[in-house]
Amino acid sequence: MTNFSRSDEFLRLSDGEIERLFEEDIRFGDLTTRALGIGDQPGRMSFTARQDMVLCGSDEASRLLSRLGVHVTFTAKTGSRAAKGSLLLAAEGSAAMLHMGWKIAQTMMEWASGIATMTHEIVLAANVGAVHIPVLCTRKSIPFTRQLSLKAVIAGGGEIHRLGLSDTIMLFAEHRAFLDKSDDIKNAVMRLKARVPERAVMVEVTSEADAWLAAEALADVIQLEKFEPAAVQRIVKQICKRSDNRPLIAVAGGIGPKNAADYVRAGTDTIVTSAPFYAKPQDIQVRIEKL
Amino acid sequence: MTNFSRSDEFLRLSDGEIERLFEEDIRFGDLTTRALGIGDQPGRMSFTARQDMVLCGSDEASRLLSRLGVHVTFTAKTGSRAAKGSLLLAAEGSAAMLHMGWKIAQTMMEWASGIATMTHEIVLAANVGAVHIPVLCTRKSIPFTRQLSLKAVIAGGGEIHRLGLSDTIMLFAEHRAFLDKSDDIKNAVMRLKARVPERAVMVEVTSEADAWLAAEALADVIQLEKFEPAAVQRIVKQICKRSDNRPLIAVAGGIGPKNAADYVRAGTDTIVTSAPFYAKPQDIQVRIEKL
Amino acid sequence: MTNFSRSDEFLRLSDGEIERLFEEDIRFGDLTTRALGIGDQPGRMSFTARQDMVLCGSDEASRLLSRLGVHVTFTAKTGSRAAKGSLLLAAEGSAAMLHMGWKIAQTMMEWASGIATMTHEIVLAANVGAVHIPVLCTRKSIPFTRQLSLKAVIAGGGEIHRLGLSDTIMLFAEHRAFLDKSDDIKNAVMRLKARVPERAVMVEVTSEADAWLAAEALADVIQLEKFEPAAVQRIVKQICKRSDNRPLIAVAGGIGPKNAADYVRAGTDTIVTSAPFYAKPQDIQVRIEKL
Amino acid sequence: MTNFSRSDEFLRLSDGEIERLFEEDIRFGDLTTRALGIGDQPGRMSFTARQDMVLCGSDEASRLLSRLGVHVTFTAKTGSRAAKGSLLLAAEGSAAMLHMGWKIAQTMMEWASGIATMTHEIVLAANVGAVHIPVLCTRKSIPFTRQLSLKAVIAGGGEIHRLGLSDTIMLFAEHRAFLDKSDDIKNAVMRLKARVPERAVMVEVTSEADAWLAAEALADVIQLEKFEPAAVQRIVKQICKRSDNRPLIAVAGGIGPKNAADYVRAGTDTIVTSAPFYAKPQDIQVRIEKL
Amino acid sequence: MTNFSRSDEFLRLSDGEIERLFEEDIRFGDLTTRALGIGDQPGRMSFTARQDMVLCGSDEASRLLSRLGVHVTFTAKTGSRAAKGSLLLAAEGSAAMLHMGWKIAQTMMEWASGIATMTHEIVLAANVGAVHIPVLCTRKSIPFTRQLSLKAVIAGGGEIHRLGLSDTIMLFAEHRAFLDKSDDIKNAVMRLKARVPERAVMVEVTSEADAWLAAEALADVIQLEKFEPAAVQRIVKQICKRSDNRPLIAVAGGIGPKNAADYVRAGTDTIVTSAPFYAKPQDIQVRIEKL
Amino acid sequence: MTNFSRSDEFLRLSDGEIERLFEEDIRFGDLTTRALGIGDQPGRMSFTARQDMVLCGSDEASRLLSRLGVHVTFTAKTGSRAAKGSLLLAAEGSAAMLHMGWKIAQTMMEWASGIATMTHEIVLAANVGAVHIPVLCTRKSIPFTRQLSLKAVIAGGGEIHRLGLSDTIMLFAEHRAFLDKSDDIKNAVMRLKARVPERAVMVEVTSEADAWLAAEALADVIQLEKFEPAAVQRIVKQICKRSDNRPLIAVAGGIGPKNAADYVRAGTDTIVTSAPFYAKPQDIQVRIEKL
């Protein structure tokens, strides 16, 4: 699984973000440890996979533990597949600091690995025979989590559909509502290309008729919103691709590990999904012991 | 449903947090709107429930739309029950600003209402006959979302179990690992009470034997981690409560809408859960039209 | 000049950014005003163009003055052409607050209008006959000024070439240096399209030979770096465009108001420039008088 | 004095907070050093106690000096008792950096040690014979200093009474003013326990009559506001404690090193105080010499 | 008392700073209000002086209450003299919001008014007969409070001695330690004037001999550190002033309301003090009642 | 050129500022590197001067590259003169990180060195024979860049005229407009000296008549705004200096490398300029190669 093993190279949470996690949880330390008077005791903490998963969040966990003065002795790579029972992270430090970092690190890794793992499941489902269809995640991540959510997507072998509203052109019906003729996709695409010719023009359509209009308008990407695989197949069969394989067909709306393969078989070029953002967290066991 | 209808009074996202949402998504505006040249057109945007839900996030949606210069004409209250088809928020403004606010507002409300709704389902499940057991959510919220996650919990009728590590005493086995005698719960509780006598001492136990030790140690709350309802019932029946109903019995671990009632019937005093943080988002329809 | 008159709709400096400007200059007020004891005197302040310009920064100036409690009575629109002598902004308030806002507002408008005006000059130069070539500004803005710099570009009628490194694909020779065969543009473009098929693939070339390789590789945009107009013309004449007008020809490197038309005549599809970021500030006169 | 010697383990100022201190004082360096042209000269700086004190702030001083590139060669521990004349911190670096860090470090240590030392004085005063009564500091710290103020309290052997409004239940008369019957403490406590049963319910009372009502209401903590020791003693003698020593008696209002022992002798269970936040700063001598 | 009545015009806490105060205390609301279920009740809150004071912090209190949705009906001016019993601020709002803002507002006003009042006492003490000597406060404010501390100083009729290290030239012996001849004040002052001729050169001296060297060196300000009034008088009598009254004599070190007049009588030109930063907070009574 | 070689000692960009640069450009990594799958390849990057320059920004470039995990092997000093072709910075790291840091580092160094180099040109021009006149830069830096702009000024041998509005007294006609008699400079200066006697009083004048009024008023600095050298000379010849060389004559308005010497010859004491803030960026070549 080398193709997604170095996502840690690409997305970097700032130190400020790491410290936000402290602020959420441990602003005044672990009261229990302090009240017990055990803070100075040296200890060891290990994180182990309780189920097979694609790991994400271990770099950040390592960084946050280090900032607490904990010595991290092992970190599995973001994007690696971790089998049930395998070690993800190990660290040594004072009881005070181990307790302060424990749950923040655990919750972050469980959540991020949940996204990475489901993304990977969709990626696997999208590999039908020799065909490998890119899996692209939307900008509908849970509020405040955009950066780490997208890192987890990439860790799972996916890519980013849109970073936000400012980096891509996606023509919605809600845009066309403000045009003189809201059904004139051709004119809309022309205007978009005239103003921002470098960027790909993506058009979201919710009917086959609109898909044909988008194709005619020389859209770069036609995003079929909530189409059945059969309808996708009809479009794919009839569409006339240009020499550079444009227009690209993208499918979106309710696609996950279970039905991704159906769309691949129907001939889509890419899968667009928000499902991983709400994936179940992966289960990670933490053990803390006295040294 | 008055008891949770004013959570908006209690938890207030800072303006800086609101602006973080802009930074995640619309730093340089909606490229599509700008390239189409439709930004100045006046329009109307409405958010409608596509399913029954307990609403959360509408105050923040309203505040963020207002910051964009959009005029919000209607906002349903955080914590209110919204029936399928009911209006949640309505606003008027320029096409540019409506498009900039659309998805941020929608995603936030869908996510937060998901938490509120599942919390409320557990609250309803915990109402068995005349008994109303408090539902308390843990500090295991998704990273970076602590504040709005807990607001949603309260909107759904729940309360906060622990704000973080610094405000409550919770004795874990992982703390006792650093004591001379790690099974001496009594001594541990005494040390905690001597140092921080005002706060309630909560003890997490994973066996019935430890539950009895905690009771003997005069713990204020005994948190039963992953106990079957039958085991909970055994403990509740035999435990000797003090005149102030202490020790309180709390159950935690894998509790959600489906099994909450079983624990209530078993006699628990409170339910502790992390389930709502990973609730499915609620489905909200957005309509944008030209004025 | 309606086509770029509403850029203020699209790019919004956060309140936090506005307050950063205060922190840079007036953290402890205007010492001179305070020491003179004139702070309470009411006054009027006006900003007037000392030369013809395309205005930018007036919205932000208005917002920052308002935050100081100054009443802004007139604001010319961002993106509007202001003739020499025309009023740009007028405000009334206490002497203390007028003096606190004066130079911040003036310096910001002079600088941002400098960018907007030069961008507009290039836009005008790029209008040769009936041809209107888009003018796109790079990500090489002065450090810490990205957001307002790009707003000024749009105010001047330009658009954004790349928001940053994460939103567009631009294949540099410096990327190819890490491939097995650094001159195999075709293979590189294929890899890019396979992984991120939705986005346009832009290839920077510094020789005609590489331009042809990029065309053959089905690049979406071929960016000619520091090519003479004659060389551009040779390429444009011979290149075979696909039905969607791809590959697009972009020219970059040392292009400004004086030579833009040469490149348009040579047949380029777009102009890419960093020149406006270092434009001379426009001259704005400020008058302050007692009321 | 081991019991408070490791408070540095528990409370951690973020890097961002450390840099705020730079922003307050040395944003553009030490103008005098620069103008003299002596910045490159190597030097040594030492901080020495001019009076007996409990030290706080040395960790933060060490961190901020290190960020300036100064090599810290010795740091006395937060929470340690420093005798007059003893070394607190020693460092070597360039004249420029020593001068930049000097006063920030000194002022911080003098202030924080002032809080720690007075807290410790109250702790000592609260040790009457074999009785060791916990000293708890309120949330009335000087604005913007909460985190380091509370660290200093713990360094001095105290603990935190309330982190803020959100983590503890404290029933004030000002709350009861909004109830139907403002003198019905019993009903109020019942409502609080029903909604948030896990947390201790603290009730502030200003009369003996109310103290009895609070006891009857099964409050967990009864906080006697501005009671004379004699009145405290009357209440302690008559109150009926539950098996877990509840209700706890806390005294608050005007308590400091001089009168703490009187309240201990009167039988209070804890002392609640804001006095240390306004303690006189401790006197620390700084010597800087050329190397 | 007009001369210091409009300090609110000059120093402005950013919104971000205001929100930091919320973060310190009420991140998740007032748990007690919420648990009682009284949050929606309308109420009134008033702040009244319990002693004569110079007020500071009322603007900020008003702004923070307003941000909570509380309607402020009256605010006494920063810098005004408030007699015992006089109203400082009045507001109306929901019980939830009144309780959230209460203590933050009270603590801030008590602390800031403490600084303002003691500054004013020193200012009054420095008015001996017809002579009005400026009172200047140092940069030794309590960490994190620089901005509001200095506002309070100005509210009390004082001024700022040094904003920080970067804005003024103050030659300490600790600077001279790095010169070839550490006692050559003349050469040091010459170097300072050559490099930064515009700024006043201040020299701190701890002996009369050094004072004469500083005078000879044409220092602009000679700051006498911990000199007895008698010694000050000797220097003042003998020193030869230039036509612009330079060198100015400043006294510093242990000066407060009690001994300021002695130094004025001794002939000093200004008083430099850090005493107000550790002033006792002023006592402000808060009343909350149901509407 | 030793006198400005250690400016890096004096001005320190915070880590938060460094991370802002990442946020501007590489929030989600270099998409091209990631899509090519070359991120793990080791490489080397070097920055070389393409023209003679005074270097600035290399410290910050080094810090930001280090934060990305790149190993910096060489950094030329801020403030050093770099000849065309000389190495400025060299680093080794993964292709992913080199590409992420490349342009941020390059753009920052090119911009900052542009300011430093032009400042230095003015400094050289101000060295006429044996006379070395200080060159002081104003507070009119480009918005958001104050700190690094002023560092570059100092790197080039200049100094800071005013940090902002709060640290210096500069009497403008715009201040006098609020006085009873707006032409009474004498009275204004007296008021300023009475309130803030320590600081130098600077007076901006736009006519010779006002210059004489300012001199008579015992101003410390008379700033001649947009005076011809001949007029400056007239004033210098006739003005009566006090023994400490006050009043200082400063010239401002349109002064740059070309005309600075004229003003020095006319006898000015200092040169005040904003020109370097808009200097052309210096040209720096970057080479990236595979290791």
Side-chain angles (χ1 to χ4, degrees), chain B residues 23-24 27-28, chain F residues 23-24 27-28:
Chain B
E23 280 170 34
E24 282 197 337
R27 202 169 255 221
F28 297 95
Chain F
E23 280 169 34
E24 284 197 335
R27 204 168 253 220
F28 297 96

Side-chain angles (χ1 to χ4, degrees), chain E residues 25-80:
Chain E
D25 205 53
I26 55 166
R27 201 169 255 218
F28 297 95
D30 178 16
L31 177 57
T32 312
T33 304
R34 185 167 73 237
L36 283 172
I38 56 172
D40 281 344
Q41 307 279 355
R44 177 187 295 137
M45 177 163 61
S46 65
F47 296 75
T48 311
R50 269 204 175 109
Q51 57 188 119
D52 292 356
M53 65 180 71
V54 176
L55 180 63
C56 187
S58 54
D59 305 317
E60 289 73 22
S62 174
R63 282 172 64 200
L64 77 83
L65 290 171
S66 299
R67 290 184 88 79
L68 292 173
V70 169
H71 179 56
V72 176
T73 55
F74 174 77
T75 315
K77 270 193 179 178
T78 281
S80 63

